[in-house]
C-alpha cells in the first residue's frame, strides 16, 4: 500500500464492488451495510443479484434422487462393504477399458476404410506402373500387383483385429451388466451406474 491512502483504497474497492454487483452510481448503500434484504433490490427497482436459494426451494435441479428415494435410502442406509467397493471399482475399470476399446475400434474402422479406398483407387491404375507403398516411415516403389497383395493382407489383418476387439468389448459389456445387476440389487436407486 505504498502511497495509497486507506480511505481512498476503500473508495476504489466500493466502486469496483458497485460495478460488479450492478449498483446504480448514485446509490449511497455500499458493501459495508451488510443487510442482504436491502441489497436484494434497490429502491429504484434494480435487482443486484438473485436472492439466495432457500433450502427446499425450486432451485434443486441437480438432484439425482427424488425426496422419496432419498428418504428410503436414509431408512435403509446401507453400509458399503469391502466386496461392494471392489465391485464398484471393477465396474469403473471395465468402463474405462470399454471406452478405450471403443476408441480403438473407431480408429481401426477408419484405417480399414482408408485401405479400401486406396484399393479402389489402385484398380484404376496401369498394371505396369510402379506405385509408392509405405513401409514404416519410408515409401518404396513397388509393382502394382504386389502393392495390391500387401493391401489385401493389411485389410485382413485389420479385420481380424477388429473382430478380436469386438469380442473383448462384448465380454466386458457382459461382465459390466452382471456387476450392474448385483450392485443395483444391493443398493437400489442410491447408486448410479449408467454410462
Amino acid at each position: 500500500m505504498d502511497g495509497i491512502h486507506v480511505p481512498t483504497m476503500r473508495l476504489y474497492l466500493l466502486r469496483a464492488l458497485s460495478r460488479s454487483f450492478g449498483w446504480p452510481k448514485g446509490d449511497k448503500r455500499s458493501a459495508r451495510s451488510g443487510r442482504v434484504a436491502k441489497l436484494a433490490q434497490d429502491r429504484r427497482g434494480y435487482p443486484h443479484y438473485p436472492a439466495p436459494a432457500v433450502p427446499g426451494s425450486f432451485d434443486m435441479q441437480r438432484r439425482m434422487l427424488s425426496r422419496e428415494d432419498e428418504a428410503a435410502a436414509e431408512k435403509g442406509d446401507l453400509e458399503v462393504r469391502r466386496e461392494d467397493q471392489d465391485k464398484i471399482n471393477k465396474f469403473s475399470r471395465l468402463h474405462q477399458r470399454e471406452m478405450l476399446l471403443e476408441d480403438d475400434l473407431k480408429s481401426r474402422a477408419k484405417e480399414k476404410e482408408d485401405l479400401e479406398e486406396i484399393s479402389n483407387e489402385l484398380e484404376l491404375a496401369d498394371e505396369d506402373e510402379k506405385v509408392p507403398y509405405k513401409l514404416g516411415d519410408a515409401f518404396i516403389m513397388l509393382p502394382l500387383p504386389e502393392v495390391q497383395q500387401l493391401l489385401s493382407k493389411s485389410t485382413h489383418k485389420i479385420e481380424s483385429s477388429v473382430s478380436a476387439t469386438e469380442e473383448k468389448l462384448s465380454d466386458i459389456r457382459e461382465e459390466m451388466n452382471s456387476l450392474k445387476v448385483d450392485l443395483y440389487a444391493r443398493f437400489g436407486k442410491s447408486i448410479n451406474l449408467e454410462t
Side-chain angles (χ1 to χ4, degrees):
M1 300 227 196
D2 297 10
I4 297 179
H5 191 252
V6 174
T8 308
M9 178 63 90
R10 284 189 192 144
L11 181 64
Y12 287 140
L13 288 173
L14 290 175
R15 284 184 185 162
L17 283 173
S18 69
R19 286 188 197 115
S20 65
F21 284 117
W23 295 334
K25 288 183 181 178
D27 195 3
K28 299 297 180 195
R29 277 181 269 156
S30 64
R32 58 188 159 187
S33 71
R35 293 189 212 143
V36 176
K38 278 189 175 182
L39 296 178
Q41 189 164 0
D42 184 49
R43 66 179 169 268
R44 295 182 196 112
Y46 295 108
H48 297 297
Y49 54 86
V54 178
S57 70
F58 64 90
D59 195 30
M60 297 289 187
Q61 294 177 356
R62 293 184 183 174
R63 296 177 60 88
M64 296 298 286
L65 299 174
S66 66
R67 292 190 188 282
E68 295 81 24
D69 294 336
E70 237 180 54
E74 287 175 4
K75 287 178 186 173
D77 206 17
L78 297 173
E79 183 177 322
V80 180
R81 301 178 304 212
R82 175 72 179 177
E83 62 190 40
D84 298 331
Q85 187 62 48
D86 290 341
K87 286 180 182 179
I88 292 169
N89 292 343
K90 186 173 185 178
F91 182 85
S92 177
R93 284 191 304 271
L94 289 173
H95 178 62
Q96 291 296 323
R97 195 175 309 154
E98 177 192 29
M99 289 173 34
L100 289 173
L101 287 175
E102 285 175 351
D103 291 343
D104 186 41
L105 202 59
K106 286 177 187 176
S107 67
R108 290 177 194 246
K110 176 78 168 113
E111 285 179 39
K112 182 182 172 190
E113 184 180 308
D114 291 343
L115 287 175
E116 288 174 351
E117 187 177 320
I118 291 169
S119 297
N120 292 338
E121 295 264 340
L122 288 177
E123 289 177 2
L124 301 175
D126 292 334
E127 294 226 3
D128 300 335
E129 197 175 319
K130 287 197 172 192
V131 180
Y133 186 77
K134 185 176 182 182
L135 287 174
D137 292 336
F139 283 94
I140 300 174
M141 298 300 281
L142 296 173
L144 182 64
E146 192 175 336
V147 170
Q148 287 176 333
Q149 286 177 351
L150 290 171
L151 283 175
S152 67
K153 285 181 184 177
S154 297
T155 305
H156 289 297
K157 193 182 291 186
I158 288 177
E159 286 175 353
S160 64
S161 68
V162 163
S163 63
T165 304
E166 286 175 345
E167 286 177 20
K168 287 179 188 175
L169 201 56
S170 67
D171 292 343
I172 286 174
R173 287 180 177 153
E174 284 177 17
E175 195 171 352
M176 285 174 64
N177 285 335
S178 68
L179 287 171
K180 271 186 186 181
V181 168
D182 292 344
L183 290 170
Y184 277 131
R186 171 97 169 111
F187 295 106
K189 291 184 178 180
S190 9
I191 190 168
N192 183 11
L193 299 173
E194 297 308 314
T195 55

